[in-house]
Amino acid sequence: MLLAPVRRESLLIGKSQGATAVASCQGALLLLPAGLLGIPYGPITLTLVVLELAVTALAMAGLGAVPAVSIRTAETFHAVTGFLSLPLLFLSGVMFPLTV
């Protein structure tokens, strides 16, 4: 993608839309068995939840794709990604359990 003869903004839009579509479809599939689990919902509620899911997925995809298209070299992108994700890894409780 770095060598493609397109603008970086179009890469950002395309990657974000693709990730949004995949995440929205996966989330909608997870919402289908909600009625079997006893969670009451109607068509309006389900539509609003899917729309909210799509907006959230677009925001998360954009947050992930903006650094990827704005940073010029792959090495710098990997360094920035590691720098941002390492504190989240330690704060998540994966390394150290929350209970003592």
Side-chain angles (χ1 to χ4, degrees), residues 5-65:
V6 295
R7 296 176 50 136
R8 290 180 182 262
E9 293 83 16
S10 58
L11 287 175
L12 174 65
I13 292 169
K15 293 292 281 182
S16 296
Q17 285 179 345
T20 300
V22 169
S24 298
C25 290
Q26 289 175 348
L29 285 175
L30 286 175
L31 288 174
L32 288 178
L36 299 174
L37 297 173
I39 300 171
Y41 63 89
I44 296 173
T45 306
L46 189 62
T47 304
L48 290 175
V49 169
V50 170
L51 284 174
E52 184 178 348
L53 178 68
V55 169
T56 305
L58 182 63
M60 293 296 118
L63 283 175

